[in-house]
Amino acid sequence: MGKVLDYKCPACDAVLKFNPHGQNWKCEYCRNEYNLEDLKSQEISLKTENKEQTELNNYNCPNCGASIVTLLNTSTTTCPYCRNTTIIKEKLSGEFNPDYLIPFKYNKDDAIEYFKRFHKRKILMPKEFNSIKNINEITGVYIPFWLYDIKANGNISATCNRVTTYSDANYIYTKTDVYEAVRSGNFIFNKVPVDGATRFDDSIMNSIEPFDYKDLKDFSYSYLSGFLADRYDVEKNKAYLIAKDRVEKSVVNNLKKDIMGYNSVIVNGKNISSDNIDSKYCLLPVWMLNIKYKDKIYPFAMNGQTGKMVGDYPVDIKKAIILGTLVFIVCILISILLFFIGVI
């Protein structure tokens, strides 16, 4: 049995969606607005249904009854018929129940506008990346992350060079002094994030950091209304190894920064240890867009809290050839003009 969950307006029974701008829930039909306490106090968990399913990832839309097929780890999905976002409650229960969540602060219109600005004036970009049809496919997704509080200590040894130059009437002299430096320290790292979903590119997820964890909210299904969400498939212990590696690199970098006054500093020895103080499972807001061009997918992502966007695009060869030809012709015309006026 699979449980699906929708939050509906008590005034008109339409599906409620989370409103990033107001940080509340707004009915798109009767325009009534509700806060989290309203949802809890009025117990608006309407239309929770149990449906028979032939597979673990097959559910029925509680709004129109259509069959919804999802990936195994998908915890919310959008009905292709009525466009209703359905929360698959059981996918975020038990060990998969998040501790925290950062709500979206930017809606879909904001994300589309940011994407357009991101590619503004990029004249060699293929037309597919400016296609309204493609851009409108941008999707708000809550990505699963592990957050670790880690205590670390360590020491490093480094070879440092200090170069001085002086001269007399005949020669220029260069003097290089070599020193050995040692630094040690203790560190506390709070909320080190690790992407908990293998199907999202870690390099992209790392690039849209940081998130402001002051906005962390206790998890509530209500925040998922109108958005998609995944659950983690990277186990906590495995994700910790990634966090540990990031922390230990940060320890080395911070200790190295304390070695000042030299022309070069080369770390030749280190001894770092770290311990996991605490770990939490949370969902972080990301706007995702994948554009296919010549059989390759180009992913873009925008931090749904801060608006930071990352991604890359290919160069349209035809546009590059045309632009190169135009530049060549302009250079030839300028050279001819300069020749006739006697400049060259």
Side-chain angles (χ1 to χ4, degrees), residues 264-326:
S264 67
V265 176
I266 300 175
V267 175
N268 53 35
K270 60 182 179 180
N271 182 20
I272 313 296
S273 62
S274 58
D275 294 302
N276 184 20
I277 302 173
D278 192 21
S279 58
K280 298 294 182 183
Y281 173 41
C282 77
L283 301 179
L284 300 181
V286 179
W287 285 100
M288 299 288 296
L289 177 62
N290 294 306
I291 297 179
K292 187 175 182 180
Y293 178 71
K294 291 187 176 180
D295 298 324
K296 182 178 179 181
I297 299 296
Y298 292 84
F300 296 85
M302 174 181 142
N303 187 313
Q305 179 198 34
T306 67
K308 181 180 180 182
M309 178 167 277
V310 299
D312 201 2
Y313 65 93
V315 172
D316 188 318
I317 301 301
K318 290 182 180 179
K319 287 185 177 181
I321 292 174
I322 292 172
L323 180 61
T325 302
L326 290 175

Side-chain angles (χ1 to χ4, degrees), residues 157-311:
S157 59
T159 300
C160 312
N161 293 335
R162 182 179 294 144
V163 180
T164 54
T165 303
Y166 56 95
S167 62
D168 57 23
N170 298 313
Y171 299 99
I172 297 175
Y173 302 92
T174 299
K175 178 185 177 185
T176 301
D177 294 308
V178 180
Y179 302 87
E180 290 295 321
V182 176
R183 294 291 188 274
S184 62
N186 299 313
F187 302 85
I188 296 291
F189 295 87
N190 293 316
K191 296 180 176 61
V192 179
V194 178
D195 179 6
T198 55
R199 68 192 189 100
F200 291 100
D201 190 323
D202 287 345
S203 64
I204 292 180
M205 293 299 103
N206 293 340
S207 297
I208 62 172
E209 293 178 16
F211 288 86
D212 186 351
Y213 297 113
K214 290 186 295 185
D215 288 338
L216 278 175
K217 308 288 186 184
D218 289 335
F219 176 74
S220 168
Y221 291 103
S222 306
Y223 289 108
L224 303 185
S225 299
F227 299 95
L228 302 183
D230 254 16
R231 72 179 188 183
Y232 72 83
D233 58 0
V234 178
E235 296 297 328
K236 179 169 63 176
N237 292 338
K238 183 177 180 180
Y240 173 67
L241 297 179
I242 299 173
K244 179 183 177 188
D245 182 63
R246 293 182 68 175
V247 161
E248 293 184 355
K249 288 178 179 177
S250 295
V251 169
V252 173
N253 289 335
N254 279 290
L255 292 176
K256 185 179 178 181
K257 287 179 183 177
D258 193 57
I259 304 175
M260 298 177 287
Y262 301 97
N263 296 94
S264 67
V265 176
I266 300 175
V267 175
N268 53 35
K270 60 182 179 180
N271 182 20
I272 313 296
S273 62
S274 58
D275 294 302
N276 184 20
I277 302 173
D278 192 21
S279 58
K280 298 294 182 183
Y281 173 41
C282 77
L283 301 179
L284 300 181
V286 179
W287 285 100
M288 299 288 296
L289 177 62
N290 294 306
I291 297 179
K292 187 175 182 180
Y293 178 71
K294 291 187 176 180
D295 298 324
K296 182 178 179 181
I297 299 296
Y298 292 84
F300 296 85
M302 174 181 142
N303 187 313
Q305 179 198 34
T306 67
K308 181 180 180 182
M309 178 167 277
V310 299

Side-chain angles (χ1 to χ4, degrees), residues 38-192:
D38 292 330
L39 298 188
K40 290 181 177 178
S41 62
Q42 297 180 31
E43 297 183 351
I44 311 176
S45 58
L46 302 177
K47 221 168 183 180
T48 301
E49 299 179 358
N50 291 327
K51 296 291 183 179
E52 291 293 336
Q53 55 180 20
T54 58
E55 296 179 5
L56 181 62
N57 59 347
N58 189 13
Y59 296 88
N60 288 82
C61 175
N63 193 52
C64 71
S67 179
I68 305 168
V69 179
T70 71
L71 296 176
L72 180 63
N73 292 322
T74 300
S75 51
T76 62
T77 188
T78 299
C79 176
Y81 299 97
C82 68
R83 306 308 297 169
N84 177 49
T85 300
T86 296
I87 302 167
I88 306 169
K89 189 173 181 180
E90 71 172 18
K91 293 297 187 74
L92 291 175
S93 62
E95 64 180 302
F96 295 105
N97 189 45
D99 299 298
Y100 300 111
L101 168 150
I102 293 180
F104 277 85
K105 285 194 172 181
Y106 293 91
N107 63 23
K108 184 171 183 176
D109 289 338
D110 298 327
I112 289 174
E113 182 60 29
Y114 271 60
F115 180 80
K116 290 179 179 177
R117 290 183 195 174
F118 186 71
H119 289 128
K120 193 176 182 179
R121 298 178 182 175
K122 294 179 171 61
I123 59 176
L124 296 181
M125 182 175 64
K127 63 181 181 179
E128 285 84 353
F129 290 76
N130 278 323
S131 166
I132 297 299
K133 180 181 178 181
N134 284 336
I135 296 174
N136 282 338
E137 292 299 318
I138 198 165
T139 305
V141 184
Y142 280 106
I143 307 296
F145 272 79
W146 292 103
L147 301 180
Y148 299 92
D149 293 340
I150 299 175
K151 177 173 65 176
N153 61 79
N155 59 74
I156 65 170
S157 59
T159 300
C160 312
N161 293 335
R162 182 179 294 144
V163 180
T164 54
T165 303
Y166 56 95
S167 62
D168 57 23
N170 298 313
Y171 299 99
I172 297 175
Y173 302 92
T174 299
K175 178 185 177 185
T176 301
D177 294 308
V178 180
Y179 302 87
E180 290 295 321
V182 176
R183 294 291 188 274
S184 62
N186 299 313
F187 302 85
I188 296 291
F189 295 87
N190 293 316
K191 296 180 176 61
V192 179

